[in-house]
């Protein structure tokens, strides 16, 4: 039996995996872990999205994996290059937590929910359905996604392990 | 960051000194609270890729106790007081002789005591920094979390996220005399705060 390779996704990073391999990202707080899966050919993609929109970028060299609006098209083109059909893709989301609660809800404090909203908006532009999500709350998550099964495994300190 | 294209070494030295003075006062406050000597390492000041920041405290998935405060005023930023669970327990025992509850859960009372410790330490850090720079700086009410280091620290990096893939942070390690307890102080000024800090300290920009 082939050994399953786990591809690590860093913060503001994205990648694809197939042939039964898995994708993993650790310590999602307000960041959103987006996964896309084409079950027909067993290809999966994952992005660790940090910020809602590249409109607010002030960096010279844009890291397109960092923003919801740029990470989604990039992940799609990587999946397409791997043979995926956009019409078959389904999305799952995790993360987007609000790690600390403050009375004064300034905008940067709501970054988690805004990341989730923007990611959904970017997916809707390509008619990709979000079939499951584990978002919000005030806790961190580590996620692993199997290209074979399309199952997203979510681990958190308080709630243990959960599959969606 | 463009601000550091010129005289970078000197500017880093200045920030190290900022950490030294701030954390020095905080260490003194902690030492008084615990009634025992607290050592402090020389602050580390550097641009660190987001990826590597959690490694300073044991990795992205390491469960830590973190007290977070937003710094408000002329040089806003984020401040974290981070420690391992063992360190938090040692602190509670040392300070309050608490009968500690078992397991990873903390009681309301324990969390509130830890928040208050973070509050006192951050307060002394910031007031010494405000004295040094002449800039008004004040901490918000602290928030506390027991969770993965990566999830917690990434929250403090959002302001840097729009500018690149690394953050400038001032990291100071505290050590209890017998090395039983160790804590980290992370001061992450917002990107636009550096110029104000340097101006206030008379550093040529």
């Amino acid at each position: 039996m082939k050994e399953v390779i786990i591809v690590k996704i860093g913060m503001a990073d994205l990648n694809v995996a197939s042939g039964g391999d898995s994708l993993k990202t650790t310590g999602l707080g307000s960041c959103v872990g987006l996964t896309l899966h084409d079950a027909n050919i067993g290809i999966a993609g994952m992005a660790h999205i940090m910020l809602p929109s590249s409109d607010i970028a002030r960096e010279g060299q844009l890291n397109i994996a960092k923003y919801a609006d740029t990470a989604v098209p990039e992940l799609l083109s990587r999946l397409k290059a791997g043979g995926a059909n956009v019409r078959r893709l389904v999305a799952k989301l995790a993360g987007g937590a609000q790690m600390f609660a403050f009375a004064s809800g300034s905008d940067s404090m709501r970054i988690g929910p805004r990341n989730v909203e923007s990611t959904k908006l970017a997916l809707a532009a390509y008619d990709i359905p979000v079939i499951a999500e584990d978002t919000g709350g005030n806790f961190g998550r580590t996620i692993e996604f199997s290209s074979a099964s399309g199952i997203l495994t979510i681990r958190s300190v308080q709630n243990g392990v959960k599959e969606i | 960051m463009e601000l550091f294209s010129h005289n970078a070494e000197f500017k880093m030295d200045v920030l190290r000194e900022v950490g030294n003075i701030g954390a020095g006062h905080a260490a003194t406050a902690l030492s008084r609270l615990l009634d025992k000597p607290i050592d402090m390492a020389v602050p580390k000041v550097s641009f660190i890729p987001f990826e590597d920041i959690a490694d300073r405290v044991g990795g992205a998935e390491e469960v830590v106790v973190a007290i977070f405060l937003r710094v408000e005023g002329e040089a806003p930023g984020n401040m974290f007081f981070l420690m391992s669970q063992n360190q938090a327990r040692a602190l509670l025992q040392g300070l309050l002789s608490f009968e500690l509850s078992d397991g990873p859960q903390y009681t309301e009372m324990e969390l509130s005591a830890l928040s208050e410790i973070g509050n006192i330490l951050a307060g002394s850090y910031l007031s010494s920094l405000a004295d040094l720079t002449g800039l008004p700086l004040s901490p918000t009410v602290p928030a506390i979390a027991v969770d993965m280091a990566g999830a917690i620290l990434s929250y403090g990096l959002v302001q840097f996220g729009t500018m690149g893939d690394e953050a400038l942070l001032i990291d100071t390690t505290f050590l209890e005399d017998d090395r039983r307890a160790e804590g980290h102080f992370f001061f992450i000024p917002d990107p636009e705060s550096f110029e104000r800090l340097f101006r206030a300290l008379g550093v040529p920009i």
Side-chain angles (χ1 to χ4, degrees):
Chain A
M1 218 174 83
K2 179 185 170 291
E3 205 179 325
V4 174
I5 296 169
I6 298 175
V7 180
K8 227 192 143 227
I9 312 292
M11 193 185 285
D13 184 18
L14 58 78
N15 214 333
V16 297
S18 57
D21 291 344
S22 288
L23 295 152
K24 183 180 183 179
T25 196
T26 52
L28 283 170
S30 56
C31 298
V32 165
L34 160 68
T35 65
L36 291 170
H37 190 234
D38 180 341
N40 267 35
I41 60 163
I43 188 169
M46 181 185 282
H48 185 136
I49 294 166
M50 195 178 172
L51 291 165
S53 165
S54 59
D55 292 346
I56 54 171
R58 287 179 288 165
E59 52 189 321
Q61 183 76 40
L62 196 70
N63 175 356
I64 50 180
K66 194 191 291 172
Y67 307 92
D69 61 330
T70 50
V72 168
E74 172 66 12
L75 193 57
L76 285 178
S77 72
R78 296 278 288 272
L79 286 164
K80 271 192 269 186
N85 184 330
V86 175
R87 276 171 304 173
R88 285 197 303 256
L89 287 175
V90 289
K92 293 182 181 180
L93 300 177
Q98 207 163 347
M99 295 303 294
F100 297 95
F102 283 99
S104 65
S106 87
D107 230 23
S108 73
M109 299 298 167
R110 270 195 75 250
I111 196 77
R114 280 170 58 213
N115 280 336
V116 175
E117 285 158 27
S118 300
T119 306
K120 285 182 178 168
L121 217 61
L123 290 167
Y126 297 91
D127 286 325
I128 297 170
V130 177
I131 56 165
E133 65 177 296
D134 179 41
T135 55
N138 62 349
F139 54 90
R141 296 164 171 94
T142 285
I143 60 170
E144 195 174 321
F145 191 57
S146 158
S147 68
S149 65
I151 289 174
L152 181 62
T153 308
I154 300 154
R155 272 193 311 116
S156 64
V157 174
Q158 286 146 32
N159 304 336
V161 181
K162 167 176 175 183
E163 286 184 351
I164 60 171
Chain B
M1 231 158 90
E2 218 177 285
L3 186 60
F4 289 86
S5 58
H6 174 70
N7 249 345
E9 260 320 294
F10 180 57
K11 284 170 181 158
M12 292 294 187
D13 274 344
V14 168
L15 293 175
R16 206 166 287 126
E17 191 51 25
V18 162
N20 218 359
I21 291 169
H25 281 83
T28 310
L30 184 59
S31 164
R32 283 212 199 99
L33 271 176
L34 293 171
D35 196 21
K36 56 171 74 163
I38 298 288
D39 282 339
M40 199 185 82
V42 176
K44 291 182 200 145
V45 178
S46 46
F47 281 101
I48 311 179
F50 294 154
E51 270 311 292
D52 301 339
I53 287 174
D55 290 342
R56 287 274 176 97
V57 288
E61 285 191 277
E62 179 73 17
V63 177
V64 296
V65 177
I67 294 126
F68 169 73
L69 307 107
R70 179 86 188 133
V71 178
E72 292 178 336
E74 286 292 305
N78 294 320
M79 186 168 270
F80 291 92
F81 181 48
L82 247 81
M83 58 206 142
S84 74
Q85 303 220 66
N86 282 339
Q87 289 147 11
R89 282 171 197 285
L91 206 56
L92 285 171
Q93 254 162 349
L95 184 63
L96 305 159
S97 328
F98 268 13
E99 235 0 274
L100 292 178
S101 52
D102 283 337
Q105 298 296 336
Y106 292 79
T107 63
E108 279 296 314
M109 185 66 192
E110 286 162 357
L111 288 177
S112 147
L114 288 169
S115 289
E116 190 47 31
I117 293 169
N119 199 20
I120 291 167
L121 301 188
S124 48
Y125 192 122
L126 286 177
S127 64
S128 66
L129 194 51
D131 286 348
L132 180 74
T133 57
L135 298 171
L137 296 169
S138 57
T140 61
V141 173
I144 187 164
V146 182
D147 213 313
M148 301 174 191
I152 286 171
L153 285 169
S154 63
Y155 190 83
L157 306 176
V158 168
Q159 276 90 351
F160 272 97
T162 60
M163 308 200 49
D165 292 323
E166 51 183 24
L168 208 176
L169 52 87
I170 306 174
D171 170 12
T172 320
T173 308
F174 289 114
L175 292 163
E176 218 181 284
D177 219 18
D178 50 13
R179 311 264 142 164
R180 228 160 49 98
E182 179 193 303
H184 278 266
F185 236 120
F186 287 111
F187 180 35
I188 314 175
D190 289 355
E192 37 303 332
S193 294
F194 289 103
E195 198 178 319
R196 292 191 202 147
L197 282 172
F198 290 144
R199 279 191 201 287
L201 293 167
V203 177
I205 302 293

